[in-house]
Amino acid sequence: GAVVSQHPSRVICKSGTSVKIECRSLDFQATTMFWYRQFPKQSLMLMATSNEGSKATYEQGVEKDKFLINHASLTLSTLTVTSAHPEDSSFYICSAKRDLSVYEQYFGPGTRLTVT
Amino acid sequence: AQSVTQLGSHVSVSEGALVLLRCNYSSSVPPYLFWYVQYPNQGLQLLLKYTTGATLVKGINGFEAEFKKSETSFHLTKPSAHMSDAAEYFCAVSEQWNTGNQFYFGTGTSLTVIP
């Protein structure tokens, strides 16, 4: 159990367009989801914490108007990169925390975004 | 905030040799500790975790790690490296008292296995 999926796995978009990435908990309810960004050969950087039914909490330096996060249900959170630019190209990973687990996060497989 | 240090961004071992990947954390209160492995263009796979209890934790693929409070360390080991172990390894901590359960990741260690 505790499977997290992401869609799409890879996306290429043109500069100036927006792209939406979905994160789903497939077999459990996730009250909290996290979005991370990973540059090549680097660690994961937390972008925001998303709680179902409330506004996301963004980390310092992350533009909330550029990276829109919606956690509309207990199994789905979305990250929309608005007006994407080449510097937004990165690997985006989501994770989800289970209700009954006080510590563990379950990670999705990641989405590779390339902005041309 | 927590800080997680992984000594050695690149580690190379021969196939069959001991694997030792180092992780130190900064908290004075023992956190929850995790090791994850990441293969190219994939997400993170949990290798093992420490929350409470026995300080020597066994994980998947023959890996284990020992929590040493006095050294604030959680080093990852495997007695005999396989070619398939070549990957990026991340140590992470989560503070027990932090209900937000934010994870703090180390910078990662790239493991190369030499045939």
Side-chain angles (χ1 to χ4, degrees):
Chain A
V3 178
V4 176
S5 70
Q6 281 184 243
H7 179 78
S9 57
R10 293 175 178 270
V11 58
I12 301 172
C13 70
K14 292 186 177 180
S15 187
T17 63
S18 297
V19 61
K20 180 185 287 188
I21 302 170
E22 294 185 347
C23 176
R24 293 182 185 272
S25 56
L26 298 185
D27 51 1
F28 66 99
Q29 292 186 328
T31 53
T32 305
M33 288 183 170
F34 304 85
W35 286 95
Y36 296 85
R37 183 173 181 177
Q38 185 181 30
F39 290 104
K41 305 296 184 182
Q42 295 188 28
S43 188
L44 282 72
M45 299 298 296
L46 180 66
M47 298 175 66
T49 302
S50 166
N51 291 294
E52 186 267 337
S54 63
K55 290 184 178 180
T57 302
Y58 290 81
E59 295 299 301
Q60 191 172 7
V62 177
E63 299 176 60
K64 58 181 67 176
D65 293 331
K66 181 169 188 61
F67 298 100
L68 300 179
I69 292 172
N70 186 307
H71 193 158
S73 77
L74 285 171
T75 59
L76 174 65
S77 177
T78 60
L79 168 67
T80 300
V81 183
T82 62
S83 187
H85 291 286
E87 57 265 31
D88 298 325
S89 298
S90 191
F91 195 52
Y92 292 88
I93 301 176
C94 74
S95 69
K97 190 172 79 73
R98 232 149 107 150
D99 261 353
L100 299 180
S101 168
V102 297
Y103 53 82
E104 192 157 353
Q105 293 184 24
Y106 301 93
F107 287 83
T111 296
R112 171 74 60 194
L113 170 63
T114 303
V115 185
T116 61
Chain B
Q2 279 277 1
S3 104
V4 182
T5 303
Q6 288 183 240
L7 283 177
S9 58
H10 293 88
V11 171
S12 293
V13 300
S14 297
E15 191 175 14
L18 171 71
V19 176
L20 171 60
L21 305 182
R22 299 177 186 275
C23 174
N24 289 86
Y25 62 90
S26 64
S27 175
S28 57
V29 176
Y32 297 128
L33 297 153
F34 306 82
W35 273 101
Y36 288 89
V37 61
Q38 185 182 34
Y39 296 98
N41 294 309
Q42 294 187 28
L44 274 68
Q45 180 182 6
L46 179 67
L47 280 176
L48 46 78
K49 62 179 182 279
Y50 170 80
T51 55
T52 59
T55 56
L56 182 62
V57 179
K58 295 187 184 298
I60 62 171
N61 301 338
F63 285 94
E64 61 183 37
E66 185 171 12
F67 166 59
K68 292 187 176 180
K69 182 179 177 181
S70 61
E71 299 177 7
T72 59
S73 70
F74 191 56
H75 300 332
L76 181 71
T77 60
K78 182 174 179 178
S80 177
H82 293 172
M83 296 299 295
S84 60
D85 294 328
E88 190 81 19
Y89 291 81
F90 293 98
C91 179
V93 304
S94 175
E95 293 164 329
Q96 295 186 32
W97 53 266
N98 185 345
T99 56
N101 295 126
Q102 180 175 342
F103 270 36
Y104 299 90
F105 284 89
T107 51
T109 298
S110 177
L111 176 66
T112 299
V113 181
I114 303 166

